[in-house]
Amino acid sequence: MPLPTYAGPLERTWYYSYRFICAAIFIFLIVPILVIVPLSFNAQPYFTFTKEMLSFDPDGYSLRWYEELLSSREWMRAIGNSFFIAISATIISTTLGTLAALGLSRPNMPAKGFITAVLISPMIVPLIITAAALFSFYARLDLANSYFSIIMAHVVLGTPFVVITVTASLSGFDQQLIRAAQSLGANQVTTFFKVILPLLLPGVVAGALFAFITSLDEVVVVLFLAGPEQVTMTVRMFSGLREEISPTILALATILVAISILLLSSMELLRRRSERQRGMSPG
């Protein structure tokens, strides 16, 4: 919003100070993330900018670390594990979270507040405590060091995001549409897939994307539950930073940043679509 012409000195000072503070916060949060992008193209095995890079000499830039990432069996297996676990956990989280949100939206649902608090508690409890509890639980069942335990642990972490986003979509849902569909002869299954799900789809997909990102970036739980065969790319990155400093980590981090930007852009588009469907003006 432009500064009004009748603004006094105090309003002008706050107008420019507010924008300066916002720009400073943006730079503080974003620059450390974006700085890894040019470093991932460093021709030398350093985590710092070389003289050739600073002078924009083409010899200072290379795709060496991307080639090393794609040709490494260990890295590719870790990436495959991450996507297998994340996709599996996302499917289960989305299904369970959507069903839970639909159940909690019913007006006659008993203990709604308590159940909601239990479902979203993994977002509040410190992750190290959750990881230790899950390890203790799966170790007693002799299921630790397995894909199943990691997937189910990530389901626990991802389901709250689905519950929240689908519940938000249900807040603007017109219940008269369900009665109208049933009055026209549609059974509950047809009503769900033809009426409810299409209107809730932006919230469901947004929750699924949150669950996917949560699983893909998660490292603490995997450190507790993973065996040598279940190592994910985040665990390998964590180990690589401690054991061998290689810009290959920066190449993978750049790819993850690109994926995160793509997913966040998709979520924003879905949010705007959801608001348009509910007759709201996208913010």
Side-chain angles (χ1 to χ4, degrees):
M1 186 175 68
L3 183 66
T5 55
Y6 53 82
L10 187 60
E11 290 175 315
R12 289 179 181 276
T13 301
W14 169 244
Y15 179 83
Y16 291 110
S17 299
Y18 176 74
R19 278 153 180 73
F20 174 77
I21 293 171
C22 290
I25 293 174
F26 180 79
I27 293 172
F28 177 76
L29 293 176
I30 298 300
V31 169
I33 298 174
L34 295 182
V35 76
I36 65 171
V37 177
L39 285 176
S40 68
F41 296 98
N42 193 347
Q44 302 299 323
Y46 305 135
F47 274 54
T48 57
F49 290 98
T50 60
K51 292 182 179 179
E52 291 80 5
M53 295 186 73
L54 294 175
S55 60
F56 296 104
D57 185 349
D59 292 336
Y61 295 88
S62 170
L63 294 175
R64 168 186 177 184
W65 308 113
Y66 289 90
E67 294 172 354
E68 186 170 310
L69 173 68
L70 297 176
S71 61
S72 169
R73 287 187 176 182
E74 289 78 12
W75 277 110
M76 294 309 296
R77 186 174 68 176
I79 293 172
N81 283 340
S82 290
F83 278 89
F84 170 70
I85 292 169
I87 292 172
S88 302
T90 299
I91 293 173
I92 300 173
S93 297
T94 305
T95 303
L96 296 179
T98 302
L99 293 175
L102 288 171
L104 291 170
S105 68
R106 293 181 177 273
N108 56 350
M109 180 72 185
K112 185 186 300 185
F114 174 75
I115 296 174
T116 302
V118 171
L119 286 174
I120 67 173
S121 61
M123 299 177 66
I124 303 171
V125 178
L127 193 55
I128 187 70
I129 296 176
T130 303
L134 289 170
F135 174 76
S136 176
F137 175 74
Y138 287 116
R140 290 177 181 274
L141 298 177
D142 198 22
L143 290 174
N145 299 339
S146 67
Y147 287 105
F148 176 80
S149 62
I150 300 173
I151 291 171
M152 296 312 297
H154 284 187
V155 168
V156 172
L157 299 177
T159 299
F161 293 99
V162 182
V163 172
I164 291 174
T165 55
V166 176
T167 300
S169 297
L170 284 168
S171 63
F173 185 77
D174 187 0
Q175 298 292 333
Q176 296 293 337
L177 295 174
I178 298 177
R179 299 189 184 93
Q182 293 175 345
S183 68
L184 294 173
N187 56 30
Q188 291 186 347
V189 176
T190 303
T191 302
F192 176 77
F193 283 104
K194 296 292 186 181
V195 179
I196 300 175
L197 187 58
L199 292 174
L200 297 183
L201 194 57
V204 174
V205 176
L209 292 177
F210 272 118
F212 180 78
I213 293 175
T214 300
S215 176
L216 199 65
D217 292 343
E218 204 287 321
V219 62
V220 177
V221 171
V222 181
L223 283 173
F224 274 81
L225 295 176
E229 296 297 323
Q230 294 87 37
V231 172
T232 62
M233 59 182 178
T234 50
V235 171
R236 183 160 177 76
M237 291 173 73
F238 180 72
S239 302
L241 288 172
R242 293 187 307 165
E243 298 170 1
E244 52 172 344
I245 302 298
S246 170
T248 306
I249 297 172
L250 299 179
L252 180 57
T254 300
I255 295 173
L256 291 177
V257 169
I259 293 174
S260 299
I261 292 174
L262 180 63
L263 294 178
L264 289 174
S265 300
S266 301
M267 282 190 288
E268 177 61 18
L269 293 175
L270 290 169
R271 185 186 69 83
R272 290 173 177 268
R273 180 187 173 192
S274 176
E275 291 183 349
R276 283 197 299 269
Q277 287 180 338
R278 288 185 289 168
M280 301 171 60
S281 176

